[in-house]
Each structure stands twice: as C-alpha cells, then as structure tokens.
Amino acid sequence: GKFQGKACILAGSGPSLKVNGEQLKSRGDAPLLSCLHNFHFFEDRGIKPDFYVSLDAGPIVLEEISEGGKLTPDEYWERTRDHTLVAYIGSHPDLIRKWKGPIYFFNAGLPAGDTKKAADAAANFYTFLGSGGNVLGACLYLAKAILGCPMVAFVGADFSFDYDNKFHGWDSKYDEKLGNAIRVTDVYGMKRSTWQSYHNFKCWFEYVACTVPGAYFNCTEGGTLGAHPEGNIAQFTYMDLKDFLGGVLGMNEHVRAQCEDPTTEHRTMLF
C-alpha cells in the first residue's frame, strides 16, 4: 500500500535516456521502477530508483551492471547495498551473491518444455509477474498489479535503436553490429531500426494499454511505443518528461508561491 494510487515512472534502457534521464532526479515522491540494465547510468547521475527489476536468467546481467559506466564493476556492486532488487527466481546465482541490498523474488511464465519442468521441480513459488518476455514488462506488472499504481509513465522505452544505431544511452556491445534488423515507424513518423523481438515487446505493451484500465504516458521522447505507420495509438499520452513531471505530477507546484503568500503580485492561472 505504500505506493497505492500514485503515478509510477518505469525506466527502460533505450537510447533516449541520454536525452532526458537526468530529469528523473526531480520526480518528487513518484516511485521509479527501473530495469537493472540502468544501474550504472543512474548511479553515475545520483538517481535512486525505488526498485531495480531483473528478469534475465543468464550471466549477461552481471556485465551490464557496469558496462558503459564510470566506475569499476566492484565499485558498482558495492553500491547495490543502497538499492532494492526485484529478481526472477531463475536469476544467475552470482547476481544474488553479489547484490548487497534487499532482494524480493518473483516467478515468471515459461514455455512448455524441459526448462519449465526443471523450474517447476526446483520451487513451488507462485508469485508471478507477467512480463511479455522483457524486464520492462515485469516493471509494468509490478507497478500496476502489485504496487497498485493506476498511472504509469514510460521513459527509455524506445524498443529500437536511435538514428545513429545506438541501442542504449551509453556505448554498448550492441552498437557494434546491427544484425538482422527491421525498419519500423517511430512516434515522430520517422524510420528506426530494431530487432523483431523488441518490436514484439512494444506490441505487447500496446496490447496491455488497450486492455488494462489506467492512464499510460509515453515520455520516452522518441522510440516506437504506440507508433504505427498510420499514426500513434490513442491509448498513450505522448509528452516530454519535463512536461509530465511539471505539468502532470507537479501542476500544483506552479501556484505554491501565491498560496503561501497571497499578497504577492505573482499571479498564476493554470487553466
């Protein structure tokens, strides 16, 4: 119930973070849920999410803690003591060993097969997070179904490379080779390159926005979430992050001065 009814910000790891990620320091008391990939990016900027979320089961999560950051891997691992992780029960054991802060666990659906049988045999753990197969999806489910946040705002939810074919807001191994990419339309009507898997992810988010009640804001300032060749779907409100923080979450702050001192000549009418 701590965040019940509040607006929640969900941070993916798309390249747009280098444009507006710094503004998350001024989010007030709005909870911030972030993909674990962003750990070094946020640490370097003094941004503290309420939860980091990890879905990947492989060792890739270990290197991404520090990839593109200013500090050494050991320095970043030491800083995890000040953060809370929400981790898939099938996470790599070294992630659990190295993380020094609190950890909450969740289960996730697996397709039928030997992997699912092995997971089912290992633990009867029934707290599931729906994810659409990606960690930002787990953040969305956590925000709405567990924390009770009816309004969510997405940042870093590009689901595509930027115009310079950068995949993150920092230099990463994914920039070296695009591979089998497809061309899709972004929210500005421009063409972007992406992988089919990430295009599938963005379609899952659009399905959720069309079927699950709530308010959805796309504050990524780019990317493909909600975008189609015919135009952007109406289930998302598209705006700059600064306008969301100041005009949606902080609308009342614009009249604070005249409320505290009604004799001032400063006049503010919001509408």
Side-chain angles (χ1 to χ4, degrees):
K2 180 179 179 180
F3 300 119
Q4 186 79 33
K6 288 189 175 183
C8 184
I9 302 173
L10 310 178
S13 304
S16 62
L17 274 186
K18 64 177 178 287
V19 176
N20 61 9
E22 192 88 22
Q23 299 170 28
L24 292 172
K25 288 191 290 189
S26 304
R27 70 181 189 276
D29 65 349
L32 173 63
L33 277 57
S34 174
C35 299
L36 182 57
H37 308 62
N38 294 332
F39 188 86
H40 68 273
F41 183 89
F42 285 157
E43 276 298 295
D44 290 349
R45 289 158 180 79
I47 300 168
K48 185 175 181 180
D50 294 273
F51 298 99
Y52 279 107
V53 182
S54 180
L55 178 66
D56 294 293
I60 189 172
V61 295
L62 305 176
E63 62 187 68
E64 288 185 341
I65 282 281
S66 57
E67 181 190 55
K70 300 176 181 178
L71 306 179
T72 66
D74 287 343
E75 288 174 314
Y76 283 118
W77 285 115
E78 180 60 30
R79 292 190 175 200
T80 62
R81 68 174 63 254
D82 298 322
H83 298 279
T84 300
L85 177 66
V86 181
Y88 170 52
I89 61 168
S91 296
H92 195 282
D94 285 346
L95 173 62
I96 308 306
R97 295 190 189 105
K98 289 175 175 289
W99 192 270
K100 300 183 184 301
I103 302 177
Y104 293 97
F105 289 98
F106 69 91
N107 205 340
L110 288 171
D114 292 340
T115 303
K116 184 178 186 304
K117 292 178 182 178
D120 290 343
N124 292 324
F125 194 99
Y126 297 112
T127 301
F128 279 79
L129 296 189
S131 67
N134 71 100
V135 65
L136 187 60
C139 290
L140 175 60
Y141 193 97
L142 175 62
K144 293 187 69 67
I146 306 296
L147 302 183
C149 300
M151 179 191 297
V152 293
F154 293 92
V155 296
D158 296 71
F159 299 107
S160 63
F161 292 83
D162 67 10
Y163 300 127
D164 297 321
N165 287 333
K166 296 288 187 181
F167 193 65
H168 291 305
W170 54 88
D171 293 335
S172 74
K173 56 184 172 295
Y174 301 113
D175 303 335
E176 298 173 3
K177 187 177 181 181
L178 206 60
N180 295 321
I182 60 175
R183 296 287 282 174
V184 295
T185 304
D186 70 8
V187 293
Y188 300 125
M190 305 291 285
K191 289 298 182 181
R192 294 275 193 105
S193 295
T194 189
W195 292 320
Q196 183 65 59
S197 58
Y198 275 77
H199 188 65
N200 294 345
F201 295 155
K202 87 103 179 179
C203 292
W204 180 84
F205 281 94
E206 293 171 359
Y207 163 76
V208 173
C210 289
T211 56
V212 180
Y216 299 86
F217 289 79
N218 184 355
C219 303
T220 296
E221 301 180 44
T224 66
L225 180 61
H228 294 263
E230 298 80 7
N232 300 335
I233 64 173
Q235 281 73 17
F236 292 96
T237 299
Y238 307 84
M239 61 170 53
D240 291 350
L241 179 59
K242 64 179 178 59
D243 293 330
F244 176 78
L245 296 175
V248 178
L249 298 187
M251 179 182 291
N252 59 317
E253 290 299 325
H254 296 284
V255 299
R256 176 181 291 277
Q258 68 185 34
C259 292
E260 293 178 342
D261 183 7
T263 64
T264 180
E265 293 184 4
H266 175 75
R267 297 184 179 91
T268 300
M269 290 296 293
L270 297 179
F271 46 81

